[in-house]
Amino acid sequence: MSGSALDPKTAPVFPIAARTAMKDGQLRRNVRHATDVIQAKRARVVAEMPDWQELREAGKQIRQHTMENLDFYLEEFEANCTRAGGVVHWARDAAEARQIIVGLVKASGSDEVIKIKSMTTEEIQLNSALEAAGIHPYETDLAELIIQLGHDQPSHIVVPALHKNRQQIREIFQREMNLPKLGERPEDLADAARIFLREKFLRVKTGVSGANFLIAETGGVCIVESEGNGRMCLTLPETLIAVAGIDKVVPRFADLEVLFQLLPRSATGERMNPYNSIWTGVNAADGPRAFHVVLMDNARTEILADAEGRQTLNCIRCGACQNACPVYRQTGGHAYGSVYAGPIGAILTPQLQEMHHAQSLPYASSLCGACYEVCPVKINIPEVLIHLRNKVVKQNGPLNVEAFAMKMMGMIFLSEHRFRAAQRMGRMAEAPLVRRDEKGEGWIGWLPGMLGGWTKVRDLQEMPQETFRDWWKKRGTHGS
Ligand code: SF4
């Protein structure tokens, strides 16, 4: 039912994929409209909070403290979850996580599962593994359902179908749900999805979820959502399997007080998520009879070991950085070649050991800092981007053109004499390439080699004929 998953190992690199996305005017309009709406809502509800910056700092401290003591809190979570009747499984990587989950679903006697929206299951491409094992996954989040029925891929962490407009969604529902007379009002689409899903909720006996937070102190698993579909998946099936990255743990129940204020405001511009579900173990009188939690590493301990990249793990997946990013707003999510798109994808995907993408994703940013400003847990994304760019340059060895160019520039900037000589040489070298416009201003429309990346999409203004220092000197001499 689902399209082929976005796999960083096989997806085209960002510059190539972005070129294709930029040609799709409808996609760009959809992404821009949706991100504008969410950003405006976020700005309104954030402005209501006089202590927003203090909250951000508290969020950062909670996440930082957790990462510094991750082993302790994971063990505490395992002990408390087990005590409450849950079963905790540890998965080293995506393959192991898939194998455990497929095994658990088979053991539950089911060949179908209902799924709650989860980026972790997208990360490990669980749906294709389930389908390969003869198990049919049904997405129950409205946006994920649109993606699944449209044989598409998510393009945003929080709003996976953000690149689709209402008309496109209607066409998918008409075709896949066999509803030729379906209306186009939002309530018509919501009704169609509700009827389609209700039958699955009542029939399917096994549920698979992700987790927004794992609470070490209680062994509880927390899901926040807007539609109530998640709560149906958590309460109706007989077997519930939650899969979460090890970075999802928080130490105390009370930490949610901070995170529950930061996450919905940053994600969807809501003051509070309509549904906050926390469940702990099993209860003989109610809910699933079997409850499993798969704790997955999948390169997270490597990220943790990198002192500068570690802050990436503080992410609470709100997607605010995506909405604010001028690069994401032009290309949408698919160009990033991974389920994690936008600024967080640009730093997370390469660290999830996809070095193929490390060559391009850390460069998919203007370094404007908008992502850092909106991040509710103050992840300094530009800092991590630079750190990763540095790694890419080092990996490419001493013959790397960029490393050589930077070294040369470093030498030039260290000496005024060399700097002035470089300016003179630059002016001479550019002279044959300069074309004058009607105002007499000089522009360069073509540059050779690596520099040509700039002139491929815009013209470069010629260097000024007089430097500031020369102008200043002249001004002093003439006394004007
Ligand atoms: S990096 Fe920050 S802004 Fe981006 S998704 Fe994560 S928490 Fe949200």
Side-chain angles (χ1 to χ4, degrees):
M1 202 184 236
S2 54
S4 63
L6 267 180
D7 184 352
K9 289 194 197 76
T10 51
V13 290
F14 185 82
I16 293 172
R19 214 167 291 149
T20 315
M22 298 279 285
K23 287 186 193 139
D24 188 340
Q26 183 64 57
L27 175 130
R28 291 173 68 191
R29 273 192 296 281
N30 294 349
V31 172
R32 214 168 312 144
H33 172 71
T35 49
D36 278 348
V37 170
I38 305 172
Q39 283 206 97
K41 274 178 79 185
R42 176 199 167 273
R44 261 199 313 276
V45 294
V46 163
E48 295 170 356
M49 306 285 287
D51 59 347
W52 181 249
Q53 293 309 328
E54 287 81 0
L55 268 172
R56 281 180 81 208
E57 184 57 32
K60 176 185 168 178
Q61 294 300 333
I62 291 169
R63 298 300 291 146
Q64 211 162 286
H65 169 80
T66 312
M67 292 312 143
E68 279 160 11
N69 301 280
L70 192 58
D71 51 347
F72 173 82
Y73 289 120
L74 282 170
E75 281 179 17
E76 190 183 3
F77 172 80
E78 181 182 30
N80 288 327
C81 180
T82 310
R83 199 168 302 131
V87 183
V88 175
H89 309 257
W90 296 85
R92 208 169 310 140
D93 53 23
E96 212 167 79
R98 286 193 295 261
Q99 199 186 358
I100 294 170
I101 298 166
V102 168
L104 289 171
V105 177
K106 282 191 172 162
S108 75
S110 190
D111 60 1
E112 297 174 307
V113 294
I114 43 174
K115 283 186 69 217
I116 309 176
K117 177 184 174 310
S118 148
M119 295 311 289
T120 315
T121 59
E122 298 283 355
E123 176 187 326
I124 64 173
Q125 298 172 28
L126 182 65
N127 281 8
S128 10
L130 290 171
E131 279 164 4
I135 300 161
H136 199 108
Y138 294 107
E139 296 292 348
T140 65
D141 172 80
L142 180 57
E144 286 288 353
L145 178 69
I146 294 162
I147 296 291
Q148 188 177 36
L149 294 180
H151 310 280
D152 198 353
Q153 294 303 330
S155 72
H156 190 280
I157 296 177
V158 178
V159 199
L162 162 136
H163 57 293
K164 296 275 183 216
N165 64 21
R166 200 192 308 166
Q167 191 50 41
Q168 291 169 315
I169 295 167
R170 177 172 171 250
E171 281 162 21
I172 293 171
F173 280 10
Q174 281 180 322
R175 190 179 63 236
E176 300 289 324
M177 294 178 183
N178 196 17
L179 297 171
K181 296 210 175 95
L182 180 64
E184 61 178 27
R185 298 173 311 155
E187 44 273 49
D188 295 330
L189 303 178
D191 278 350
R194 193 175 293 123
I195 294 163
F196 181 82
L197 288 173
R198 188 57 54 104
E199 183 265 333
K200 318 278 184 280
F201 284 132
L202 295 174
R203 179 166 53 81
V204 179
K205 301 274 181 256
T206 306
V208 173
S209 85
N212 287 95
F213 304 109
L214 307 169
I215 307 155
E217 183 183 46
T218 63
V221 177
C222 171
I223 286 273
V224 300
E225 40 135 4
S226 304
E227 297 166 11
N229 63 306
R231 183 161 291 183
M232 304 274 269
C233 291
L234 301 177
T235 47
L236 291 173
E238 286 168 10
T239 301
L240 179 59
I241 305 158
V243 54
I246 53 172
D247 50 317
K248 289 291 172 72
V249 75
V250 295
R252 299 167 307 161
F253 186 80
D255 295 328
L256 296 182
E257 180 195 336
V258 172
L259 298 168
F260 274 11
Q261 294 188 70
L262 290 170
L263 180 56
R265 280 187 159 83
S266 304
T268 48
E270 288 168 304
R271 293 184 183 92
M272 177 54 82
N273 282 107
Y275 297 89
N276 298 304
S277 304
I278 300 171
W279 72 103
T280 311
V282 290
N283 185 316
D286 197 11
R289 299 289 176 269
F291 171 49
H292 300 266
V293 182
V294 181
L295 291 177
M296 185 182 70
D297 184 333
N298 207 26
R300 284 157 175 80
T301 45
E302 276 94 337
I303 301 176
L304 197 64
D306 178 353
E308 286 166 86
R310 179 183 302 162
Q311 54 178 316
T312 312
L313 295 178
N314 295 352
C315 176
I316 55 170
R317 308 278 191 267
C318 72
C321 57
Q322 297 185 286
N323 306 330
C325 176
V327 177
Y328 175 88
R329 282 163 58 82
Q330 294 301 324
T331 63
H334 294 161
Y336 292 77
S338 155
V339 291
Y340 301 112
I344 181 60
I347 59 171
L348 185 58
T349 304
Q351 293 187 88
L352 289 174
Q353 293 187 330
E354 299 302 345
M355 296 325 285
H356 163 63
H357 268 68
Q359 301 290 329
S360 64
L361 285 184
Y363 292 87
S365 165
S366 61
L367 296 181
C368 66
C371 49
Y372 181 32
E373 254 170 55
V374 295
C375 179
V377 288
K378 292 172 94 170
I379 298 173
N380 193 334
I381 296 176
E383 189 177 273
V384 183
L385 285 166
I386 305 255
H387 169 60
L388 293 175
R389 288 182 188 188
N390 204 6
K391 269 189 165 179
V392 171
V393 171
K394 278 197 186 129
Q395 253 173 27
N396 287 341
L399 296 178
N400 179 265
V401 184
E402 193 182 342
F404 178 73
M406 288 296 163
K407 203 164 257 174
M408 292 297 291
M409 281 176 74
M411 276 172 57
I412 290 167
F413 285 136
L414 273 175
S415 140
E416 188 198 336
H417 175 69
R418 283 198 288 261
F419 184 63
R420 281 173 172 271
Q423 281 179 320
R424 276 196 300 277
M425 276 170 62
R427 247 180 253 123
M428 276 192 298
E430 71 172 12
L433 304 172
V434 175
R435 301 279 168 270
R436 305 231 157 256
D437 64 16
E438 59 284 0
K439 288 189 213 143
E441 282 183 24
W443 294 93
I444 299 168
W446 175 86
L447 281 172
M450 264 179 85
L451 299 171
W454 179 275
T455 48
K456 232 184 243 168
V457 285
R458 58 178 90 67
D459 289 347
L460 181 72
Q461 194 151 23
E462 71 169 336
M463 290 171 70
Q465 291 308 310
E466 187 178 42
T467 66
F468 174 76
R469 281 167 185 267
D470 292 338
W471 172 83
W472 187 255
K473 212 159 143 193
K474 229 184 328 173
R475 190 171 177 266
T477 316
H478 301 318
S480 56

